[in-house]
Amino acid sequence: MEKASDILTLRPKEAVLKTIKGDCWGSFGIPHSQTAGTITLTNQRILFRGSGIVDALRLVFAIDYADIVSIEPFTVSLFIRTGIRIVTQQEGGFRISVMKRNTIMQFIQEQMANANR
């Protein structure tokens, strides 16, 4: 299994385009879990690093734009319209929550188009 630091290390020719605060909701088989963290959007991937004191226990994952099958909005809890559901070929589904959801979804779709050229 990769270490968190390995997952978050930028690849050759990978550049950070945006860094935002956000949450990961109900991913990895835990239906109602919420993990606050930082979402980094690069020109190749979406990186998530959860908050926490112990580095080894933080939720960390990366999603390649080329691996994304679809993205769609979802409502967090009952009324919070900040969620983005990301479905990938390899890992299944991820749910993140961010402010300015529509802007971030458009940004991800643009990066997906670039990755699939």
Side-chain angles (χ1 to χ4, degrees), residues 1-110:
M1 183 174 184
E2 288 184 277
K3 295 186 304 190
S5 58
D6 294 340
I7 293 170
L8 299 174
T9 299
L10 294 181
R11 299 171 176 166
K13 299 184 181 180
E14 184 173 23
V16 172
L17 303 176
K18 290 181 185 272
T19 301
I20 54 176
K21 295 291 183 188
D23 297 334
C24 178
W25 280 88
S27 296
F28 307 102
I30 306 169
H32 301 289
S33 67
Q34 176 187 8
T35 303
T38 303
I39 299 168
T40 302
L41 303 168
T42 76
N43 59 333
Q44 297 179 21
R45 304 179 290 168
I46 300 168
L47 307 173
F48 181 86
R49 181 176 192 232
S51 303
I53 297 170
V54 180
D55 196 42
L57 298 178
R58 290 183 185 168
L59 174 60
V60 174
F61 61 85
I63 305 168
D64 285 294
Y65 294 120
D67 188 40
I68 297 174
V69 174
S70 67
I71 64 171
E72 63 185 27
F74 84 96
T75 303
V76 176
S77 296
L78 237 28
F79 305 106
I80 305 169
R81 291 179 167 82
T82 59
I84 302 172
R85 181 176 293 116
I86 302 169
V87 178
T88 66
Q89 297 171 24
Q90 301 296 319
E91 301 294 328
F94 297 86
R95 297 187 310 163
I96 59 174
S97 176
V98 296
M99 299 304 291
K100 300 183 182 180
R101 169 179 69 184
N102 292 337
T103 302
I104 299 302
M105 285 182 65
Q106 181 179 355
F107 183 86
I108 292 170
Q109 288 169 331
E110 290 168 4

